[in-house]
């Protein structure tokens, strides 16, 4: 909405030209209840939370799924991201924080104690096998197919959304074949509960010349998350009784074994900080980046990393004091 009276008064008096006053004003705005609009609009777009409530899951494979459960998962994701906007939590903890926000429905699904209160409650359950954003049901369900998990989709979400390293699109012919195979699998899955061996399916892709290079880049992250089924429930075996093997090897030789190893790998990746900086830069300016933005982005990331506030609030302070945010190019009329 429009600026409040305090902000309009400060702007009119020229107070915002003083760096100290400007920083204080941004801090005040970050604690205003209206910050929830940033939380929901930004994370809803960037992290795909808007689509979680409407996620499709076939009842034969996932009888626990319901639109209400999807809505609870989406709300948890908003609350989880919001905690990093509203508090001084370092951004690196986004991937490994032992923190969930549950209502009675979601607690029952996770196998956690009922929070015993209406609405959502922040909880920490160290032995629940979940960790950080990647352990949230909303991320795990939203990156799955209706009939099964999709290690490839989960890995692509990690690379594209959190590390800003999207893999290339498959060749047109391969994409069409994969889409047709997925459509056929979905049609069959609505009438049978048979599950294919996901690892064997992906290993077959890696033997195909057109698929091998890309799948080697991102499948390992997804395979390491196979202990979570297509709606995010923890499991140790597939429905047919076959044990799940969550081990995989990244292209750089890093060995993965389950969610904790994925968390460790991503947390140590410097792209985790540079990616959220880029995403918020784009959101704050309402445009995509151009070549001349890169030096400013590099400076924002450096100042944020070397500063005293490693939280998203610290990133916002760096963004709003940057030249691209404070200056707008003049337009020449014809």
């Amino acid at each position: 909405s429009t600026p409040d009276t305090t902000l309009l008064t400060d702007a009119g008096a020229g107070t915002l030209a003083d760096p100290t006053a400007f920083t204080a004003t941004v801090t005040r705005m970050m604690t205003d209840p209206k910050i929830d609009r940033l939380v929901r609009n930004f994370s809803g777009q960037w992290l795909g939370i808007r689509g979680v409530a409407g996620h499709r899951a076939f009842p034969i494979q996932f009888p626990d799924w319901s639109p209400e459960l999807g809505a609870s998962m989406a709300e948890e994701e908003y609350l989880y991201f919001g905690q990093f906007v509203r508090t001084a939590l370092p951004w690196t903890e986004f991937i490994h924080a032992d923190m969930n926000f549950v209502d009675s429905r979601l607690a029952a699904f996770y196998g956690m104690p009922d929070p015993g209160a209406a609405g959502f409650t922040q909880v920490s359950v160290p032995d629940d096998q979940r960790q950080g954003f990647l352990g949230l049901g909303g991320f795990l369900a939203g990156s799955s197919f209706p009939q099964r998990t999709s290690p490839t989709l989960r890995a692509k979400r990690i690379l594209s959304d959190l590390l800003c390293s999207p893999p290339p699109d498959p060749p047109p012919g391969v994409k069409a074949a994969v889409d047709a195979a997925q459509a056929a699998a979905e049609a069959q899955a609505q009438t049978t509960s048979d599950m294919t061996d996901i690892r064997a399916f992906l290993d077959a892709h890696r033997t195909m010349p057109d698929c091998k290079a890309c799948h080697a880049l991102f499948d390992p992250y997804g395979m390491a998350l196979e202990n979570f089924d297509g709606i995010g429930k923890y499991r140790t075996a597939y429905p047919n009784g076959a044990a799940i093997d969550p081990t995989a090897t990244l292209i750089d030789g890093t060995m993965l074994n389950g969610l904790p190893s994925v968390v460790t790998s991503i947390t140590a990746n410097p792209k985790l900080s540079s990616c959220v900086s880029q995403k918020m830069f784009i959101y704050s300016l309402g445009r995509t980046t151009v070549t001349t933005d890169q030096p400013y982005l590099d400076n924002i990331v450096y100042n944020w990393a070397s500063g005293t506030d490693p939280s998203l609030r610290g990133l916002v302070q760096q963004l709003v004091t940057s030249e691209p945010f404070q200056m707008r190019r003049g337009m020449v009329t014809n």
Side-chain angles (χ1 to χ4, degrees), residues 243-258:
I244 291 173
D245 177 9
T247 61
T249 305
L250 295 175
I251 199 167
D252 65 359
T254 300
M255 300 294 294
L256 300 177
N257 186 4

Side-chain angles (χ1 to χ4, degrees), residues 11-205:
T15 306
L16 298 181
D18 175 67
T20 301
F22 184 84
T23 298
T25 295
V26 175
T27 299
R28 180 180 71 84
M29 294 172 69
M30 292 291 290
T31 59
D32 190 283
K34 291 180 182 177
I35 200 67
D36 189 58
R37 300 175 185 178
L38 166 66
V39 170
R40 292 177 182 270
N41 288 330
F42 177 57
S43 66
Q45 295 177 46
W46 171 36
L47 299 173
I49 303 175
R50 289 178 176 176
V52 172
H55 174 71
R56 288 196 309 148
F58 291 158
I60 292 179
Q61 288 81 12
F62 305 112
D64 292 336
W65 183 258
S66 68
E68 293 77 17
L69 179 61
S72 291
M73 287 184 175
E75 186 63 22
E76 179 185 35
E77 287 189 285
Y78 284 128
L79 292 170
Y80 185 90
F81 180 77
Q83 194 73 354
F84 288 85
V85 173
R86 296 185 178 93
T87 73
L89 278 173
W91 175 244
T92 51
E93 292 194 21
F94 187 73
I95 300 300
H96 65 76
D98 182 20
M99 177 173 62
N100 287 90
F101 293 85
V102 298
D103 57 4
S104 295
R105 180 184 295 108
L106 194 53
F109 176 79
Y110 285 157
M112 296 178 178
D114 192 301
F120 285 78
T121 302
Q122 181 180 342
V123 297
S124 176
V125 184
D127 60 351
D128 66 344
Q129 310 295 335
R130 299 181 187 276
Q131 189 175 5
F133 179 76
L134 302 182
L136 301 183
F139 169 79
L140 295 161
S143 55
S144 296
F145 288 140
Q147 79 278 19
R148 64 169 175 83
T149 61
S150 174
T152 299
L153 284 181
R154 285 177 175 174
K156 286 178 69 176
R157 287 278 303 275
I158 290 171
L159 290 173
S160 299
D161 295 349
L162 298 175
L163 301 179
C164 289
S165 302
D169 291 330
V174 172
K175 185 178 187 306
V178 170
D179 288 346
Q182 172 61 17
E186 288 195 17
Q188 180 182 6
Q190 295 188 64
T191 60
T192 177
S193 61
D194 291 343
M195 294 287 289
T196 58
D197 186 327
I198 303 301
R199 182 175 289 274
F201 177 75
L202 293 179
D203 284 346
H205 272 70

Side-chain angles (χ1 to χ4, degrees), residues 197-218:
D197 186 327
I198 303 301
R199 182 175 289 274
F201 177 75
L202 293 179
D203 284 346
H205 272 70
R206 285 191 287 272
T207 64
M208 301 169 62
D210 289 336
C211 304
K212 182 177 180 180
C214 289
H215 278 269
L217 285 173
F218 50 76

